[in-house]
Each structure stands twice: as C-alpha cells, then as structure tokens.
Amino acid sequence: MPDYKQADIAEEIEKRIVDGRYEDKLPSATDLSGEFNVNIRTMSKSLSLLAKKHIIVKKRGIGAFVNKQKAPLILVNYRSPGDIRESSYHSMIWNGIKDKAETLGCKLELESRYSGALDCFDGIIQFDHGLTNKYDEMDKKKIPFVVIEHVPDVHVASVSADVYGALYDVFCQLYRSGVQKVAYIGMTTSRSLTTDVRKFHAWQEATDDMLQEIEYDLVQHVWPLPENSYAAMKKILKREIPDVVFTTSDLMAAGIYKALREADLRIPEDVNVLGCDGLNIDLNPQLATIRVPRYEMGAKAIELLMEMIREPGRRSRKKLSINAEFVPGDSLKL
C-alpha cells in the first residue's frame, strides 16, 4: 500500500471527479480513509484542500459533494507593453493573483489591452489607471472589478501599496541625521503612474516639513526606465553633488551608479543611493530600497474580487493599502 500524503490524496480524488467516477456525493471520509490507508484526520485535511479549491463542497453532518457550480472566470487586463510574466515589477503581482485564484477555484484569462465584450467574465482585475470611461463601462454592466495600484476615484475598488508612509519616514530620518540635499529621479506628475506620483509627494512633503524649503533643481522628471536615469543623474551633478539620490524604481539605480562613478564619487561615502520597489537588483554596493508588497497585492486583489462575485449586485468601494517597508542596503547610511 503506497504511503499517501494529503496533497496526493486530494490530487487522486480530483482526478476521479474529472474522470466522472464521482459525479455527486463522494464516499464517506471513513470509507476513503480505509481505501487510502490513512487516519480520518489526514483524509479530512485532504478533503479540505479540495474544498479550498472549490472542487468539492463539504456539508456538515451530510458529507462531501462535487461542486457543480461553474468556476468564476476572471479577466486579468494588463495594460503595459510586454508579457506580465517577464516584467520585473508586475510578474510578482501576477504570481499572487495566479496562486490565490487557484486556491479560490477561479479561472484566469490574461489579456493585454483587452477590447472585447466584457459580459462573458464574472470579474475583472484591471492594471490600467485613470481610465474612467472603462470603469464606467464595467460599472454600467454590473461587472465586479478591482484595480491594481492606487486609484484616486472614490467609487473604484483597488489594492495598492502604501509607499508614501515608508518613504516619508525614511526621508525624515535622513534629514534628522544631518542630510541637507536629497535628489529625486522619477515621475512627478502622471495620470497613469499614480503610485509614483505619491513617491514624489513623500519626498516633497518630508523635505518641506524638515527643511522648510525645497530645492527643485534636485528633481529630474523622467519616465522610470533604466536608460533615463544615467542622463538625469549627469544633469543633477552639473549643478551640485547631493547627499542622497532617490530613484522611484530600482531599475534606474544602475544608471545612477554609473554616472556617480564616472564623476569619481563613491557610494555611499560621497553620495548615498536609495531605490524603490524591492526588485532585488544585483548591484555593488547592495541597493537600499523600499520593498513594495507586490505578491500580497495580487493575492488581495483576487480575494476582494471574489467577495464581490459571491455577493451578486454588491459593489465594493474598498481601497486596500498594504504597507511597504524599508529594506537596508550598503548604498545608504541611515
């Protein structure tokens, strides 16, 4: 008799359901325990794994039944160029969505800039921001949807990271330690990158609160791409040498490192560098950053959407914000 584990038992029972061997009520937990030669507790946990995936429904005192309800079909509408699975930032959000969807028994359809009929979907995870007309369309069709990232619209359910709080605290600590000049490289205004704009507001307000003045010559408004940071850093260095350089994306840090080294400036002895997003970029010295909880964002988005799907007609206006956190690195003396 093979030594069955909970996951093995669940997989075998799921196969039997797919093959049509179990069409309605499953054998009792006692009978299944005897067949698989495991105790009743192990079998109960195996059935719970199937219940979590919505493959079966457990009815207290009656038994376990095949779940004949159609699995919810979720559209994941990804509004950025390229494949989400290859994105250094969004791939982790996708993993959170995918793993939680499997746990909750959802089916996913991943599309880039989906423009077809939305009525065939039970719910939508939306990656674009600020497209009010698209939100209005989904609302009119009464399709539950959740937007990834911060959305100012009070009528839209969203899941985002609170980067503002973590950044504001780090900037204030830097100023308290005697730092006078923190340069900023990234977006300052944007209709789509609202989270990046909040990073700018954190820099702006911490600087104003702690120094009572803001040097806008230390700001370079650039789209967060690796190729933009090198030129932005060179422009700042033509004016002055900052104490700290903050970049809104870890992806831009390599260009900043290169520009500083070309100017014979050491990191962190001459200039400190702080990144954001927590992308585990391989740099020397190791980059200090603000870790954005991207996996958690994806998982929470599916959870929130499923709450809405399970209660037809319910429109959630929840805005879930998950705290980002400072991750120390050798590039920043704090």
Side-chain angles (χ1 to χ4, degrees):
M1 180 70 68
D3 183 17
Y4 286 104
K5 296 182 180 180
Q6 296 167 20
D8 299 326
I9 296 170
E11 183 178 350
E12 172 59 26
I13 293 175
E14 182 177 355
K15 184 176 182 298
R16 293 178 184 183
I17 292 171
V18 172
D19 292 344
R21 182 170 168 182
Y22 301 148
E23 295 183 348
D24 188 20
K25 186 177 180 181
L26 271 63
S28 70
T30 301
D31 289 345
L32 288 170
S33 298
E35 179 185 349
F36 286 93
N37 195 30
V38 295
N39 59 47
I40 193 72
R41 186 176 179 183
T42 298
M43 180 53 63
S44 180
K45 289 182 177 179
S46 301
L47 294 175
S48 292
L49 291 175
L50 294 171
K52 283 182 180 179
K53 293 174 67 175
H54 295 267
I55 293 170
I56 66 169
V57 177
K58 295 172 73 176
K59 298 183 179 181
R60 190 177 182 86
I62 302 176
F65 295 79
V66 175
N67 187 0
K68 297 181 179 180
Q69 186 176 356
K70 179 176 71 73
L73 179 60
I74 309 298
L75 169 66
V76 179
N77 195 7
Y78 182 60
R79 302 283 302 186
S80 295
D83 190 326
I84 190 172
R85 289 159 291 205
E86 297 176 359
S87 166
S88 56
Y89 183 87
H90 290 121
S91 59
M92 192 61 72
I93 298 177
W94 166 248
N95 288 340
I97 291 173
K98 181 166 55 71
D99 291 350
K100 182 56 69 171
E102 182 178 353
T103 300
L104 296 177
C106 308
K107 291 183 178 179
L108 299 178
E109 186 165 319
L110 175 62
E111 294 285 350
S112 176
R113 301 182 181 275
Y114 186 84
S115 58
L118 299 174
D119 306 76
C120 59
F121 298 102
D122 298 293
I124 298 171
I125 298 290
Q126 194 78 8
F127 270 84
D128 56 335
H129 327 301
L131 299 183
T132 308
N133 59 334
K134 181 63 73 174
Y135 301 155
D136 289 344
E137 178 188 348
M138 289 185 282
D139 226 13
K140 287 176 183 176
K141 291 178 179 291
K142 301 189 182 302
I143 300 172
F145 69 98
V146 174
V147 179
I148 297 285
E149 298 289 3
H150 175 75
V151 180
D153 189 335
V154 296
H155 302 297
V156 174
S158 65
V159 176
S160 63
D162 178 16
V163 293
Y164 177 94
L167 274 174
Y168 181 89
D169 289 345
V170 172
F171 290 143
C172 286
Q173 286 184 57
L174 288 169
Y175 289 128
R176 288 192 197 100
S177 71
V179 165
Q180 292 295 307
K181 298 179 185 296
V182 178
Y184 177 96
I185 297 177
M187 300 296 286
T188 60
T189 60
S190 173
R191 286 190 303 169
S192 57
L193 297 181
T194 53
T195 298
D196 275 30
V197 175
R198 287 177 65 77
K199 297 172 187 177
F200 177 63
H201 291 164
W203 173 87
Q204 193 177 38
E205 291 175 28
T207 304
D208 189 40
D209 289 347
M210 300 301 293
L211 301 182
Q212 283 75 55
E213 62 177 345
I214 299 176
E215 261 191 82
Y216 285 104
D217 284 348
L218 292 171
V219 176
Q220 283 293 305
H221 173 81
V222 296
W223 191 264
L225 293 173
E227 57 266 29
N228 294 336
S229 57
Y230 173 74
M233 188 71 252
K234 298 276 279 188
K235 286 181 181 178
I236 291 173
L237 291 175
K238 284 181 180 178
R239 298 189 181 101
E240 57 187 315
I241 299 174
D243 301 312
V244 179
V245 180
F246 168 68
T247 174
T248 57
S249 172
D250 294 340
L251 292 174
M252 294 196 284
I256 292 169
Y257 275 40
K258 180 182 177 183
L260 290 172
R261 284 172 174 149
E262 286 181 359
D264 292 325
L265 294 168
R266 298 166 301 166
I267 306 167
E269 291 84 358
D270 301 317
V271 180
N272 292 268
V273 181
L274 172 65
C276 195
D277 293 342
L279 301 182
N280 297 320
I281 303 295
D282 185 17
L283 292 171
N284 185 23
Q286 180 189 12
L287 182 66
T289 187
I290 302 294
R291 188 188 79 86
V292 172
R294 291 168 288 135
Y295 184 91
E296 295 91 329
M297 288 166 58
K300 286 294 182 183
I302 281 287
E303 285 183 355
L304 179 56
L305 186 62
M306 284 302 294
E307 286 179 15
M308 299 160 69
I309 291 172
R310 286 169 180 160
E311 298 181 41
R314 177 173 178 257
R315 284 292 175 270
S316 175
R317 311 302 184 192
K318 280 186 183 178
K319 295 195 177 303
L320 301 181
S321 182
I322 308 171
N323 290 335
E325 62 178 355
F326 172 67
V327 179
D330 297 332
S331 68
L332 180 70
K333 293 181 292 187
L334 183 61

Coordinates of all heavy atoms in Angstrom, one line a residue, residues 173-246:
Q173 N 14.1 60.6 8.5 CA 15.2 60.1 9.2 C 16.5 60.7 8.7 O 17.5 61.0 9.4 CB 15.2 58.6 9.2 CG 14.2 57.9 10.1 CD 14.3 56.4 10.1 OE1 15.4 55.9 10.4 NE2 13.3 55.7 9.7
L174 N 16.6 60.7 7.3 CA 17.8 61.2 6.7 C 18.0 62.7 7.0 O 19.1 63.1 7.4 CB 17.6 61.1 5.1 CG 17.8 59.7 4.6 CD1 17.3 59.6 3.1 CD2 19.2 59.2 4.8
Y175 N 17.0 63.5 7.0 CA 17.1 64.9 7.3 C 17.5 65.1 8.8 O 18.3 66.0 9.1 CB 15.8 65.7 7.0 CG 15.6 65.8 5.5 CD1 14.3 65.4 4.9 CD2 16.5 66.3 4.6 CE1 14.1 65.6 3.6 CE2 16.3 66.4 3.3 CZ 15.1 66.0 2.8 OH 14.9 66.2 1.4
R176 N 16.9 64.3 9.7 CA 17.3 64.4 11.1 C 18.7 64.0 11.3 O 19.4 64.5 12.3 CB 16.4 63.4 11.9 CG 15.0 63.9 12.1 CD 14.2 63.1 13.1 NE 12.8 63.2 13.0 CZ 12.0 62.3 12.4 NH1 12.5 61.2 11.9 NH2 10.7 62.5 12.3
S177 N 19.3 63.2 10.5 CA 20.7 62.7 10.6 C 21.7 63.8 10.1 O 22.9 63.6 10.2 CB 20.9 61.4 9.9 OG 20.9 61.6 8.5
G178 N 21.2 64.9 9.5 CA 22.0 65.9 9.0 C 22.1 66.1 7.5 O 22.7 67.0 7.0
V179 N 21.4 65.2 6.8 CA 21.4 65.3 5.3 C 20.6 66.6 5.0 O 19.6 66.9 5.5 CB 20.6 64.1 4.8 CG1 20.2 64.3 3.3 CG2 21.5 62.8 4.9
Q180 N 21.2 67.3 4.0 CA 20.6 68.5 3.5 C 20.0 68.5 2.1 O 19.1 69.2 1.7 CB 21.6 69.7 3.6 CG 22.1 70.0 4.9 CD 21.0 70.7 5.8 OE1 20.3 71.6 5.3 NE2 20.7 70.1 6.9
K181 N 20.6 67.6 1.3 CA 20.2 67.6 -0.1 C 19.8 66.1 -0.6 O 20.7 65.3 -0.7 CB 21.3 68.1 -1.0 CG 21.7 69.6 -0.7 CD 22.8 70.1 -1.6 CE 23.2 71.5 -1.2 NZ 22.1 72.4 -1.4
V182 N 18.6 65.9 -0.8 CA 18.1 64.6 -1.4 C 17.6 64.8 -2.8 O 16.6 65.5 -3.0 CB 17.0 64.0 -0.5 CG1 16.5 62.7 -1.1 CG2 17.5 63.7 0.9
A183 N 18.3 64.3 -3.8 CA 17.9 64.4 -5.1 C 16.8 63.4 -5.5 O 16.7 62.3 -4.8 CB 19.0 64.2 -6.1
Y184 N 15.9 63.8 -6.4 CA 14.8 62.9 -6.8 C 14.8 62.6 -8.3 O 14.8 63.6 -9.1 CB 13.5 63.6 -6.4 CG 12.2 62.9 -6.8 CD1 11.5 62.0 -5.9 CD2 11.7 63.0 -8.1 CE1 10.4 61.4 -6.3 CE2 10.5 62.3 -8.5 CZ 9.9 61.5 -7.6 OH 8.7 60.8 -7.9
I185 N 14.8 61.4 -8.7 CA 14.8 61.0 -10.1 C 13.6 60.0 -10.3 O 13.5 58.9 -9.8 CB 16.1 60.3 -10.5 CG1 17.3 61.2 -10.4 CG2 16.0 59.8 -12.0 CD1 18.6 60.6 -10.7
G186 N 12.6 60.5 -11.1 CA 11.4 59.7 -11.4 C 10.3 60.6 -11.8 O 10.5 61.8 -12.1
M187 N 9.1 60.1 -11.8 CA 7.9 60.8 -12.2 C 7.4 61.8 -11.1 O 7.5 61.5 -9.9 CB 6.7 59.9 -12.6 CG 7.0 58.9 -13.7 SD 7.3 59.7 -15.3 CE 5.7 60.2 -15.7
T188 N 7.0 63.0 -11.5 CA 6.4 64.0 -10.6 C 5.0 64.2 -10.8 O 4.2 64.5 -9.9 CB 7.2 65.3 -10.7 OG1 7.1 65.8 -12.0 CG2 8.7 65.1 -10.3
T189 N 4.5 64.0 -12.1 CA 3.1 64.1 -12.4 C 2.8 63.0 -13.4 O 3.6 62.7 -14.3 CB 2.7 65.4 -13.0 OG1 3.5 65.6 -14.2 CG2 3.0 66.6 -12.1
S190 N 1.6 62.4 -13.3 CA 1.2 61.3 -14.3 C -0.2 60.9 -14.0 O -0.6 60.8 -12.9 CB 2.1 60.1 -14.1 OG 1.7 59.0 -14.9
R191 N -1.0 60.7 -15.1 CA -2.3 60.3 -15.0 C -2.4 58.7 -14.7 O -3.4 58.2 -14.2 CB -3.2 60.6 -16.2 CG -3.5 62.1 -16.3 CD -4.5 62.3 -17.4 NE -4.0 61.8 -18.7 CZ -4.8 61.7 -19.8 NH1 -6.0 62.0 -19.8 NH2 -4.2 61.2 -20.9
S192 N -1.3 58.0 -15.1 CA -1.3 56.6 -15.0 C -0.5 56.1 -13.9 O -0.9 55.1 -13.2 CB -0.9 56.0 -16.4 OG 0.4 56.4 -16.7
L193 N 0.7 56.7 -13.7 CA 1.6 56.2 -12.6 C 1.3 56.9 -11.3 O 2.1 57.7 -10.8 CB 3.0 56.3 -13.0 CG 3.5 55.5 -14.2 CD1 5.0 55.8 -14.5 CD2 3.2 54.1 -14.0
T194 N 0.1 56.7 -10.8 CA -0.3 57.5 -9.6 C 0.5 57.1 -8.3 O 0.8 57.9 -7.5 CB -1.8 57.2 -9.3 OG1 -2.0 55.8 -9.2 CG2 -2.7 57.8 -10.4
T195 N 1.0 55.8 -8.3 CA 1.8 55.4 -7.1 C 3.2 56.2 -7.2 O 3.7 56.6 -6.1 CB 2.0 53.9 -7.1 OG1 0.7 53.3 -7.0 CG2 2.9 53.5 -6.0
D196 N 3.7 56.3 -8.4 CA 5.0 57.1 -8.5 C 4.8 58.5 -8.1 O 5.7 59.1 -7.5 CB 5.5 57.0 -9.9 CG 6.3 55.7 -10.1 OD1 6.0 54.7 -9.5 OD2 7.3 55.7 -11.0
V197 N 3.7 59.1 -8.4 CA 3.4 60.5 -8.0 C 3.4 60.6 -6.5 O 3.8 61.6 -5.9 CB 2.1 61.0 -8.7 CG1 1.8 62.4 -8.1 CG2 2.3 61.0 -10.2
R198 N 2.9 59.6 -5.8 CA 2.8 59.6 -4.4 C 4.2 59.5 -3.8 O 4.5 60.0 -2.7 CB 2.0 58.4 -3.8 CG 0.5 58.7 -4.1 CD -0.4 57.5 -3.6 NE -0.3 57.3 -2.2 CZ -1.0 58.0 -1.3 NH1 -1.7 59.1 -1.6 NH2 -0.9 57.7 0.0
K199 N 5.2 58.9 -4.5 CA 6.6 58.9 -4.1 C 7.1 60.3 -4.1 O 7.9 60.7 -3.2 CB 7.4 58.0 -5.0 CG 7.0 56.5 -4.9 CD 7.7 55.7 -6.0 CE 7.2 54.3 -6.1 NZ 7.8 53.5 -7.2
F200 N 6.8 61.0 -5.2 CA 7.2 62.4 -5.3 C 6.6 63.3 -4.1 O 7.3 64.1 -3.5 CB 6.8 63.0 -6.6 CG 7.2 64.5 -6.8 CD1 8.5 64.9 -6.7 CD2 6.2 65.4 -6.9 CE1 8.9 66.2 -6.9 CE2 6.6 66.8 -7.0 CZ 7.9 67.2 -7.0
H201 N 5.4 63.1 -3.8 CA 4.7 63.8 -2.7 C 5.4 63.5 -1.4 O 5.5 64.4 -0.6 CB 3.2 63.5 -2.7 CG 2.5 64.0 -3.8 ND1 1.2 63.6 -4.2 CD2 2.8 65.0 -4.8 CE1 0.8 64.2 -5.2 NE2 1.7 65.1 -5.6
A202 N 5.8 62.3 -1.2 CA 6.5 61.9 0.0 C 7.8 62.7 0.1 O 8.2 63.2 1.2 CB 6.8 60.4 0.1
W203 N 8.6 62.7 -1.0 CA 9.9 63.5 -1.0 C 9.6 65.0 -0.7 O 10.3 65.6 0.1 CB 10.5 63.3 -2.4 CG 11.7 64.2 -2.6 CD1 13.0 63.9 -2.2 CD2 11.8 65.5 -3.1 NE1 13.9 64.9 -2.5 CE2 13.1 65.9 -3.1 CE3 10.8 66.3 -3.7 CZ2 13.5 67.2 -3.6 CZ3 11.2 67.6 -4.2 CH2 12.5 68.0 -4.1
Q204 N 8.6 65.5 -1.4 CA 8.3 66.9 -1.4 C 7.9 67.3 0.0 O 8.4 68.3 0.6 CB 7.1 67.2 -2.4 CG 6.9 68.6 -2.7 CD 5.8 68.7 -3.8 OE1 4.8 67.9 -3.8 NE2 5.9 69.6 -4.7
E205 N 7.0 66.6 0.6 CA 6.4 67.0 1.9 C 7.4 66.7 3.1 O 7.5 67.5 4.0 CB 5.1 66.2 2.2 CG 4.0 66.7 1.2 CD 2.7 66.0 1.3 OE1 2.4 65.4 2.4 OE2 2.0 65.9 0.3
A206 N 8.2 65.7 3.0 CA 9.2 65.4 4.0 C 10.3 66.5 3.9 O 10.7 67.0 5.0 CB 9.9 64.1 3.8
T207 N 10.7 66.9 2.7 CA 11.7 68.0 2.6 C 11.1 69.3 3.1 O 11.8 70.0 3.8 CB 12.0 68.1 1.1 OG1 12.5 66.9 0.6 CG2 13.1 69.2 0.9
D208 N 9.9 69.6 2.8 CA 9.3 70.9 3.2 C 9.1 70.8 4.8 O 9.4 71.8 5.4 CB 8.0 71.1 2.5 CG 7.4 72.4 2.8 OD1 8.2 73.4 2.8 OD2 6.2 72.6 3.0
D209 N 8.7 69.7 5.3 CA 8.4 69.6 6.8 C 9.7 69.7 7.5 O 9.8 70.4 8.6 CB 7.7 68.3 7.1 CG 6.3 68.3 6.6 OD1 5.8 69.3 6.3 OD2 5.7 67.2 6.6
M210 N 10.8 69.1 7.0 CA 12.1 69.1 7.8 C 13.0 70.2 7.5 O 13.7 70.7 8.4 CB 12.8 67.7 7.5 CG 12.0 66.5 7.9 SD 11.5 66.4 9.6 CE 13.1 66.2 10.4
L211 N 13.0 70.7 6.3 CA 14.0 71.8 5.9 C 13.3 73.2 5.7 O 13.9 74.2 5.7 CB 14.7 71.5 4.7 CG 15.6 70.2 4.7 CD1 16.3 70.0 3.4 CD2 16.5 70.2 5.9
Q212 N 11.9 73.1 5.6 CA 11.2 74.4 5.4 C 11.5 75.0 4.0 O 11.2 76.2 3.8 CB 11.3 75.4 6.5 CG 10.5 75.1 7.7 CD 11.1 74.0 8.6 OE1 12.2 74.1 9.0 NE2 10.3 72.9 8.8
E213 N 12.2 74.3 3.1 CA 12.4 74.8 1.8 C 12.7 73.6 0.9 O 13.1 72.5 1.3 CB 13.6 75.7 1.8 CG 14.9 75.1 2.2 CD 16.1 76.0 2.1 OE1 16.0 77.1 1.4 OE2 17.2 75.7 2.7
I214 N 12.4 73.8 -0.4 CA 12.6 72.7 -1.4 C 13.4 73.2 -2.5 O 13.2 74.2 -3.1 CB 11.2 72.2 -1.9 CG1 10.3 71.7 -0.8 CG2 11.4 71.1 -3.0 CD1 8.9 71.3 -1.2
E215 N 14.5 72.4 -2.9 CA 15.4 72.7 -4.0 C 14.9 71.9 -5.2 O 15.2 70.7 -5.3 CB 16.8 72.3 -3.7 CG 17.7 73.5 -3.2 CD 19.1 73.1 -3.2 OE1 19.8 73.1 -4.2 OE2 19.6 72.8 -2.1
Y216 N 14.1 72.5 -6.1 CA 13.6 71.8 -7.2 C 14.7 71.5 -8.3 O 14.4 70.7 -9.2 CB 12.4 72.5 -7.8 CG 11.2 72.3 -6.9 CD1 10.7 73.3 -6.1 CD2 10.5 71.1 -6.9 CE1 9.6 73.2 -5.3 CE2 9.4 70.9 -6.1 CZ 8.9 72.0 -5.3 OH 7.8 71.8 -4.5
D217 N 15.8 72.1 -8.1 CA 17.0 71.8 -9.0 C 17.5 70.4 -8.8 O 18.2 69.8 -9.7 CB 18.1 72.8 -8.8 CG 17.9 74.2 -9.4 OD1 16.9 74.3 -10.2 OD2 18.6 75.1 -9.1
L218 N 17.1 69.8 -7.7 CA 17.5 68.4 -7.4 C 16.5 67.4 -7.9 O 16.6 66.2 -7.7 CB 17.6 68.2 -5.9 CG 18.7 69.0 -5.2 CD1 18.6 68.9 -3.7 CD2 20.1 68.4 -5.6
V219 N 15.5 67.9 -8.7 CA 14.4 67.0 -9.2 C 14.6 66.8 -10.7 O 14.8 67.7 -11.5 CB 13.0 67.6 -9.0 CG1 12.0 66.7 -9.6 CG2 12.8 67.7 -7.5
Q220 N 14.6 65.5 -11.1 CA 14.6 65.2 -12.6 C 13.3 64.3 -12.9 O 13.2 63.2 -12.4 CB 15.9 64.4 -12.9 CG 17.1 65.2 -13.1 CD 17.0 66.2 -14.2 OE1 16.8 65.8 -15.4 NE2 17.2 67.5 -14.0
H221 N 12.4 65.0 -13.6 CA 11.2 64.3 -14.0 C 11.5 63.4 -15.2 O 11.6 63.9 -16.3 CB 10.1 65.3 -14.3 CG 8.9 64.7 -14.9 ND1 7.9 64.2 -14.1 CD2 8.4 64.6 -16.2 CE1 6.9 63.8 -14.9 NE2 7.2 64.0 -16.1
V222 N 11.5 62.1 -15.0 CA 11.8 61.1 -16.1 C 10.9 59.9 -15.9 O 10.5 59.5 -14.8 CB 13.3 60.7 -16.1 CG1 14.2 61.8 -16.4 CG2 13.7 60.0 -14.8
W223 N 10.5 59.3 -17.1 CA 9.8 58.0 -17.0 C 10.7 57.0 -16.5 O 11.9 56.9 -16.8 CB 9.4 57.7 -18.5 CG 8.4 56.5 -18.5 CD1 8.7 55.2 -18.7 CD2 7.0 56.6 -18.3 NE1 7.6 54.4 -18.7 CE2 6.5 55.3 -18.4 CE3 6.1 57.6 -18.1 CZ2 5.1 55.0 -18.3 CZ3 4.8 57.3 -18.0 CH2 4.3 56.0 -18.1
P224 N 10.2 56.1 -15.6 CA 11.1 55.1 -14.8 C 11.6 54.0 -15.7 O 11.2 52.8 -15.6 CB 10.2 54.6 -13.7 CG 8.8 54.8 -14.2 CD 8.8 56.0 -15.1
L225 N 12.6 54.3 -16.6 CA 13.2 53.3 -17.4 C 14.7 53.4 -17.1 O 15.3 54.5 -16.9 CB 12.9 53.6 -18.9 CG 11.5 53.3 -19.4 CD1 11.3 53.8 -20.8 CD2 11.1 51.9 -19.2
P226 N 15.4 52.3 -17.2 CA 16.9 52.2 -16.9 C 17.7 53.3 -17.7 O 18.6 53.9 -17.2 CB 17.3 50.8 -17.3 CG 16.1 50.0 -17.1 CD 14.9 50.9 -17.6
E227 N 17.3 53.4 -19.0 CA 18.1 54.3 -19.8 C 18.0 55.8 -19.5 O 18.8 56.6 -19.9 CB 17.8 54.1 -21.3 CG 16.3 54.3 -21.6 CD 15.5 53.0 -21.6 OE1 15.9 52.1 -20.8 OE2 14.5 52.9 -22.3
N228 N 16.9 56.2 -18.7 CA 16.7 57.6 -18.4 C 17.5 58.1 -17.2 O 17.7 59.3 -17.0 CB 15.2 57.8 -18.1 CG 14.4 57.6 -19.4 OD1 14.9 57.7 -20.5 ND2 13.1 57.3 -19.2
S229 N 17.9 57.2 -16.3 CA 18.5 57.6 -15.0 C 19.9 58.1 -15.2 O 20.3 59.0 -14.4 CB 18.5 56.4 -14.0 OG 19.2 55.3 -14.6
Y230 N 20.7 57.6 -16.1 CA 22.1 58.0 -16.3 C 22.1 59.5 -16.7 O 22.9 60.3 -16.0 CB 22.7 57.1 -17.4 CG 24.1 57.6 -17.8 CD1 25.2 57.3 -16.9 CD2 24.3 58.2 -19.0 CE1 26.5 57.7 -17.3 CE2 25.6 58.6 -19.4 CZ 26.7 58.3 -18.6 OH 27.9 58.7 -18.9
A231 N 21.4 59.9 -17.7 CA 21.3 61.3 -18.1 C 20.8 62.2 -17.0 O 21.3 63.3 -16.8 CB 20.5 61.4 -19.4
A232 N 19.8 61.7 -16.3 CA 19.2 62.5 -15.2 C 20.2 62.8 -14.1 O 20.3 63.9 -13.6 CB 18.0 61.8 -14.7
M233 N 21.0 61.8 -13.8 CA 22.0 61.9 -12.7 C 23.1 62.9 -13.2 O 23.6 63.7 -12.4 CB 22.6 60.6 -12.4 CG 23.5 60.6 -11.2 SD 22.7 60.8 -9.6 CE 23.1 62.4 -9.2
K234 N 23.5 62.8 -14.5 CA 24.5 63.7 -15.0 C 24.0 65.2 -14.9 O 24.8 66.0 -14.6 CB 24.8 63.3 -16.5 CG 25.3 61.9 -16.7 CD 26.8 61.8 -16.5 CE 27.6 62.3 -17.7 NZ 29.0 62.0 -17.6
K235 N 22.8 65.4 -15.2 CA 22.2 66.8 -15.1 C 22.3 67.3 -13.7 O 22.6 68.5 -13.5 CB 20.8 66.8 -15.7 CG 20.7 66.6 -17.2 CD 19.2 66.7 -17.6 CE 19.1 66.5 -19.1 NZ 17.7 66.5 -19.6
I236 N 21.9 66.5 -12.8 CA 22.0 66.9 -11.4 C 23.4 67.3 -11.0 O 23.7 68.3 -10.3 CB 21.4 65.8 -10.4 CG1 19.8 65.7 -10.7 CG2 21.6 66.2 -9.0 CD1 19.2 64.6 -9.9
L237 N 24.3 66.4 -11.3 CA 25.7 66.6 -10.9 C 26.3 67.9 -11.6 O 27.3 68.4 -11.0 CB 26.6 65.4 -11.3 CG 26.3 64.1 -10.5 CD1 27.1 62.9 -11.0 CD2 26.6 64.3 -9.0
K238 N 25.8 68.3 -12.7 CA 26.3 69.6 -13.3 C 26.0 70.8 -12.4 O 26.7 71.8 -12.4 CB 25.7 69.8 -14.7 CG 26.3 68.9 -15.7 CD 25.7 69.2 -17.1 CE 26.3 68.3 -18.2 NZ 25.6 68.5 -19.5
R239 N 24.9 70.6 -11.6 CA 24.5 71.7 -10.7 C 25.2 71.6 -9.4 O 25.7 72.6 -8.8 CB 23.0 71.7 -10.6 CG 22.2 71.9 -11.9 CD 20.7 72.1 -11.6 NE 20.0 72.3 -12.8 CZ 19.3 71.4 -13.4 NH1 19.2 70.2 -12.8 NH2 18.6 71.6 -14.5
E240 N 25.1 70.4 -8.8 CA 25.7 70.2 -7.4 C 25.7 68.7 -7.1 O 25.1 67.9 -7.8 CB 24.8 70.9 -6.4 CG 23.4 70.6 -6.3 CD 22.6 71.4 -5.4 OE1 23.1 71.6 -4.2 OE2 21.5 71.9 -5.8
I241 N 26.4 68.4 -6.0 CA 26.5 67.0 -5.6 C 25.6 66.8 -4.4 O 25.7 67.4 -3.3 CB 28.0 66.6 -5.2 CG1 28.9 66.8 -6.4 CG2 28.0 65.2 -4.6 CD1 30.4 66.6 -6.0
P242 N 24.5 66.0 -4.6 CA 23.6 65.8 -3.5 C 24.2 64.8 -2.4 O 25.1 64.1 -2.7 CB 22.4 65.1 -4.2 CG 23.0 64.4 -5.3 CD 24.2 65.2 -5.8
D243 N 23.6 64.8 -1.2 CA 23.9 63.9 -0.2 C 23.4 62.5 -0.5 O 24.0 61.5 -0.2 CB 23.4 64.4 1.2 CG 24.0 65.7 1.5 OD1 25.2 65.9 1.4 OD2 23.2 66.6 1.9
V244 N 22.1 62.5 -1.0 CA 21.4 61.3 -1.3 C 20.7 61.4 -2.6 O 20.2 62.5 -2.9 CB 20.3 61.0 -0.1 CG1 19.6 59.7 -0.5 CG2 21.0 60.9 1.2
V245 N 20.7 60.3 -3.4 CA 19.9 60.3 -4.6 C 18.8 59.2 -4.4 O 19.1 58.1 -4.0 CB 20.7 59.9 -5.8 CG1 19.8 59.8 -7.1 CG2 21.9 60.9 -6.0
F246 N 17.5 59.6 -4.6 CA 16.4 58.7 -4.5 C 15.9 58.5 -5.9 O 15.6 59.4 -6.7 CB 15.3 59.2 -3.6 CG 14.0 58.4 -3.8 CD1 13.9 57.1 -3.3 CD2 12.9 59.0 -4.4 CE1 12.7 56.4 -3.5 CE2 11.7 58.3 -4.6 CZ 11.6 57.0 -4.1

